[in-house]
Amino acid sequence: MTFSIKSRKETIDELKSQTLDLLIIGGGITGAGVAVQAAASGIKTGLIEMQDFSEGTSSRSTKLVHGGIRYLKNFDVEVVADTVTERAVIQGIAPHIPKPDPMLLPIYDDEGATTFDMFSVKIAMDLYDQLAGVKGTKYENYTLTPEQVIEREPYIKTEGLQGAGVYLDFRNNDARLVIDNIKKAVEDGALAASKVKATGFVYEGQKIVGVKVRDEITKEIFEIKAKLVINTSGPWADRVRELNFTRAVAPFMRPTKGIHLVVDAKKLPVPQPTYFDTGKHDGRMVFAIPREEKTYFGTTDTDYQGDYNDPTITQDDVDYLLDVINHRFPTANITIDDVESSWAGLRPLISGNSGSDYNGGDNGTISDKSFEDVIDVVTKFKEKQADRNQVEHVLNNLESSLEEKELSPSAVSRGSSLEREEDGLITLAGGKITDYRKMATGAIQLIVQLLKEEYGMEITPIDSKHYPISGGDFDPTKVEEKVEELTQLGVEAGLSEEEARYIADFYGTNAVKVFDIAKNMDAFDGLSLAESARLKYGLEEEMVLTPADYLVRRTNHLLFERDSLDELVAPVINAIAEYLGWSDDEKVKQTAQLQHIIDESDLKDLKKG
C-alpha cells in the first residue's frame, strides 16, 4: 500500500470524479472508526480532514484507554461495564497500541476531598475486576499499606496517606490509534485525504448530496459528491453543521480544554500511572503517568471559546496543575522551568441531554429561553441582521445559564450523539476515545439502513469487534511473544536490539515494513538507520506531509523525547523537503511552523514571564 504525497493526487482525483456512498468530514478517532468499518463493509467511502489526521483532538488526550473506576463511587456499574468491555475489544483489534499498565490510586483521609477510602476502594476494585474479567489473573487488583506506597513512590505526600489500591488500566497512543485505523480503511478501499477542508455543502433541493472543499496544500476548490455525508469533526461539529446556510442551526457542543505537562522522570519518579484527587475540593482527579523516561501529568477541565485549531496553555492552567502536583508530591518542587513539553486539547463534550442519550448519559439541559435565544440570534446572523459579537454574547450567556445549574465543565456529558438533520447531514459527536468503535458501529447501522431505504443498497456490516486495524493482525493474548519475534527481524535488518524492540512494540506487525525499508536504504544525513527507516515509512505509508506530522503525531519525539529533539529537527526537515520536493521558500515556511509548535510545547512565552 502507498499512502503518501505520491498517492494523494490520485485520491483527490477519485474524490472529484465519482459519487461516494459515504463521505466523512473529520479525521480524528471518530471519523477513522467510521471509515474502517464502512470501507470493510463494502461502502464506497471517502474521508477528509482539514489538518493532519488526529491533529485536532485525538492526539491530545491523556493517552489512556481508561476504565472509569471513579464511576463506581456512585455504583454506576453499567457505565463501567460498558467501558471495560469495550476497552477489551479495542485491545483485541489493536493489540500493538493499548497496553496494560496497572494504575495506583493513593487514598488519603482528606475529609470531603477524596473519591474513595480504603474500604470503598477495595469494594470498587473487586467489582471492577469482575466487570473487566481479570479476577484471578496477574492483573487482579490489590492494596498497599502506606509504607508500601511510599517505598514505591518516595516523593508522594505522606501526611494523611491511608494506603493505595492498584487496578488494571491501559496506556494508549492516541494518534497511532487514529492513523492505523485510517491506514486499514485505505487498504480496504477508502479514499482518505488530510489537509482538505470542508467549506460548504452541495444540494439537490434541500438535501445535502456532497461537500464543497478546499485543498489546503494546492488551494484548489472542488466538490465531492456522496449519497450520505457524516460529520465526525469533534469540537468542530457545530461549525460543520453551520456550513448549511439555508436554515438556523442550534449549537449543541460545549468544548472544554484539558492540558498536560511533561517533566523528566528523575524530577518526578512514578513507576506506574498514578491517579489522585486534586485536594482542592473541586471534584477533579489528576493523573501522573510515566512514559519514555518522562512523567506527564494532567488534566485541567475548563470551558473553551478560543481558537479551536490551536488551543493554548495559559499561566492559570500551569499554576493549577503545578499546585496540584506539588500538593500530592510535596518534595518534588516542580516549577514551570522543569516542564520539558506540553499539550492542550479540546474535549468534544455535549452540553445537553439530547446529546447524551445515545451513550446512556443524562447530564443537564439548557433552559427553553436560552434555546430560543440561540435559534433567534443564529437565524438573524444567517440573514445578516446580527453580527458575530451578538452571537458570541448569546452563547456566553448560555454558558452562564449552564453554570447557574451547577453544571461544571467536568460534569458535562461525555456521552455521544448520533443524529440526522432535515438536510440529510448525519452528525456523530461527543463520546470518548474508549468508545470510538462502538460509536462508529452505531453510525454504520444507521448508514446501512439509509443506503437501503433511499438507494436500495444491500450491505452487511462487518463484525468490527473482531476486525484488526493496521498493525494489529496477531493474537492479542501473545503481545510480548510477537514483539520478541519482530525484534529479531529488526536485528537481522541491521538495527540494534533496543531500536528493533522499540519499533516492534510501536508499530505491531507494520514493524516488518519498517525493517524492510531499513534493509534497502542508506540512512538520511544526520539520522540513524532506525530513525531514517521510520521517517521513510511515515512518508510512504502514513501520509506524513509536514515535519510536525512526523515529530508530533507519528512518533513521540516532541512530547516524550524532547531532550533529543533539537538534533533531529534539521535532518528530518531536510529529508522531508527532498521527498516532497519543497522549494527553498516552502522549506523556510515549514521550518518556522515547526518552531512555533515546539515553542508552544516548551511554554516558551510563559517561561519568559
Side-chain angles (χ1 to χ4, degrees):
M1 180 189 84
T2 299
F3 186 46
S4 68
I5 191 69
K6 296 174 181 177
S7 64
R8 187 176 185 274
K9 184 180 184 306
E10 181 182 338
T11 294
I12 288 177
D13 286 344
E14 289 191 57
L15 288 170
K16 291 182 195 173
S17 64
Q18 59 182 277
T19 298
L20 303 168
D21 298 329
L22 176 68
L23 177 62
I24 301 163
I25 302 174
I29 191 60
T30 306
V34 173
V36 78
Q37 292 189 38
S41 300
I43 297 169
K44 191 184 295 182
T45 303
L47 180 148
I48 57 171
E49 163 56 48
M50 66 177 180
Q51 304 180 103
D52 181 28
F53 302 117
S54 81
E55 183 172 349
T57 287
S58 297
S59 59
R60 300 166 183 258
S61 72
T62 303
K63 304 186 189 300
L64 298 171
V65 183
H66 194 36
I69 194 172
R70 69 187 178 91
Y71 294 114
L72 290 178
K73 172 73 171 179
N74 298 318
F75 292 95
D76 200 342
V77 175
E78 186 175 357
V79 170
V80 178
D82 286 347
T83 300
V84 296
T85 299
E86 189 58 23
R87 183 179 66 185
V89 173
I90 302 306
Q91 200 273 330
I93 61 175
H96 58 306
I97 299 179
K99 303 286 174 59
D101 204 359
M103 183 79 66
L104 186 145
L105 179 62
I107 305 298
Y108 288 89
D109 64 359
D110 301 349
E111 185 177 354
T114 57
T115 300
F116 292 103
D117 56 32
M118 287 301 295
F119 178 74
S120 64
V121 78
K122 182 58 179 171
I123 293 173
M125 292 192 305
D126 286 344
L127 179 55
Y128 181 90
D129 282 359
Q130 288 181 336
L131 296 172
V134 297
K135 199 164 182 63
T137 73
K138 67 178 180 178
Y139 294 117
E140 185 171 358
N141 79 80
Y142 57 93
T143 58
L144 298 173
T145 65
E147 292 75 21
Q148 290 170 322
V149 177
I150 294 166
E151 182 179 0
R152 188 172 295 194
E153 296 197 2
Y155 285 31
I156 203 163
K157 181 182 178 183
T158 59
E159 182 183 354
L161 181 64
Q162 302 291 295
V166 179
Y167 64 94
L168 178 63
D169 221 333
F170 282 70
R171 69 182 182 273
N172 183 38
N173 189 323
D174 46 12
R176 294 300 312 174
L177 192 62
V178 174
I179 195 64
D180 279 344
N181 270 278
I182 296 277
K183 283 154 57 183
K184 186 61 176 179
V186 170
E187 183 182 318
D188 287 338
L191 302 170
S194 58
K195 297 174 174 57
V196 174
K197 182 176 182 178
T199 59
F201 294 115
V202 181
Y203 298 88
E204 283 184 4
Q206 297 296 309
K207 184 182 179 185
I208 291 173
V209 294
V211 179
K212 297 176 182 178
V213 304
R214 181 177 64 245
D215 185 333
E216 298 289 66
I217 294 178
T218 66
K219 304 306 177 185
E220 179 186 10
I221 295 172
F222 58 95
E223 295 181 350
I224 304 173
K225 298 291 184 64
K227 297 182 178 76
L228 299 173
V229 177
I230 186 168
N231 169 17
T232 61
S233 56
W236 289 262
D238 283 335
R239 299 188 179 190
V240 170
R241 295 170 65 232
E242 289 164 359
L243 294 176
N244 179 348
F245 295 107
T246 64
R247 63 182 177 84
V249 174
F252 61 76
M253 302 301 295
R254 184 188 176 185
T256 67
K257 183 182 75 172
I259 76 150
H260 296 79
L261 306 177
V262 185
V263 299
D264 191 273
K266 294 185 182 67
K267 188 66 184 174
L268 184 63
V270 292
Q272 68 187 101
T274 304
Y275 187 38
F276 45 86
D277 293 277
T278 63
K280 290 178 173 288
H281 300 263
D282 57 5
R284 295 288 303 143
M285 301 284 286
V286 166
F287 296 92
I289 301 172
R291 196 90 167 225
E292 312 228 9
E293 299 182 5
K294 307 296 176 188
T295 299
Y296 69 94
F297 48 90
T299 180
T300 56
D301 205 10
T302 53
D303 282 311
Y304 186 77
Q305 296 172 324
D307 180 3
Y308 283 20
N309 290 4
D310 188 23
T312 56
I313 294 174
T314 67
Q315 187 67 53
D316 285 346
D317 294 331
V318 174
D319 290 346
Y320 176 89
L321 271 189
L322 291 183
D323 191 38
V324 169
I325 210 74
N326 286 321
H327 174 68
R328 287 302 181 201
F329 298 89
T331 60
N333 297 315
I334 306 293
T335 71
I336 192 171
D337 292 327
D338 296 313
V339 176
E340 296 186 359
S341 55
S342 63
W343 69 92
L346 302 183
R347 300 181 187 87
L349 303 190
I350 295 169
S351 60
N353 286 339
S354 62
S356 63
D357 291 342
Y358 176 70
N359 204 35
D362 186 22
N363 285 298
T365 59
I366 65 173
S367 68
D368 291 340
K369 182 181 182 304
S370 289
F371 183 82
E372 289 165 7
D373 287 346
V374 170
I375 294 292
D376 182 59
V377 77
V378 171
T379 300
K380 288 179 178 176
F381 180 77
K382 301 281 191 187
E383 295 170 354
K384 300 190 166 132
Q385 294 176 8
D387 61 22
R388 183 185 182 94
N389 288 335
Q390 290 170 291
V391 175
E392 289 181 350
H393 174 72
V394 170
L395 293 180
N396 284 335
N397 284 340
L398 170 65
E399 297 296 346
S400 297
S401 169
L402 287 169
E403 288 166 3
E404 286 166 9
K405 292 175 176 288
E406 299 183 338
L407 189 63
S408 72
S410 303
V412 176
S413 171
R414 292 308 298 271
S416 56
S417 167
L418 176 64
E419 297 184 12
R420 193 188 194 201
E421 301 185 58
E422 59 191 68
D423 55 21
L425 179 67
I426 302 165
T427 296
L428 178 61
K432 54 187 184 295
I433 200 164
T434 310
D435 295 332
Y436 88 90
R437 185 212 59 87
K438 191 175 181 181
M439 290 168 60
T441 297
I444 292 295
Q445 289 170 352
L446 175 61
I447 289 161
V448 167
Q449 176 188 334
L450 294 173
L451 289 174
K452 180 177 181 179
E453 291 174 353
E454 299 177 12
Y455 297 95
M457 298 174 62
E458 292 285 349
I459 294 166
T460 302
I462 61 155
D463 176 6
S464 61
K465 287 185 176 181
H466 301 96
Y467 194 73
I469 67 170
S470 183
D473 50 341
F474 62 94
D475 185 345
T477 67
K478 297 182 178 178
V479 175
E480 293 177 4
E481 294 90 332
K482 192 64 180 179
V483 168
E484 286 307 310
E485 175 190 327
L486 293 168
T487 297
Q488 293 313 305
L489 296 178
V491 172
E492 292 168 13
L495 306 184
S496 71
E497 187 169 341
E498 181 182 3
E499 290 170 332
R501 181 169 287 105
Y502 185 92
I503 290 171
D505 184 68
F506 197 83
Y507 293 95
T509 54
N510 284 326
V512 174
K513 298 179 180 180
V514 180
F515 297 149
D516 285 344
I517 289 171
K519 284 181 190 174
N520 297 292
M521 75 172 294
D522 294 325
F524 293 124
D525 287 346
L527 298 178
S528 68
L529 180 60
E531 195 68 60
S532 299
R534 296 179 74 196
L535 176 55
K536 191 169 183 182
Y537 176 70
L539 288 164
E540 293 184 343
E541 299 207 29
E542 295 195 333
M543 197 58 74
V544 166
L545 300 176
T546 72
D549 292 350
Y550 179 71
L551 292 170
V552 180
R553 289 172 290 278
R554 303 300 184 273
T555 66
N556 289 334
H557 284 303
L558 176 66
L559 298 184
F560 305 125
E561 301 171 72
R562 179 63 185 89
D563 36 12
S564 60
L565 176 67
D566 291 342
E567 63 194 50
L568 296 179
V569 168
V572 165
I573 289 175
N574 290 338
I576 294 176
E578 182 177 353
Y579 186 88
L580 299 180
W582 285 345
S583 65
D584 289 342
D585 286 346
E586 182 65 22
K587 188 173 176 181
V588 169
K589 174 185 167 186
Q590 291 287 346
T591 301
Q593 287 178 351
L594 177 62
Q595 191 59 53
H596 172 73
I597 291 168
I598 293 172
D599 288 347
E600 277 199 339
S601 175
D602 287 351
L603 303 180
K604 185 175 180 179
D605 287 344
L606 295 183
K607 289 177 180 177
K608 280 181 185 175

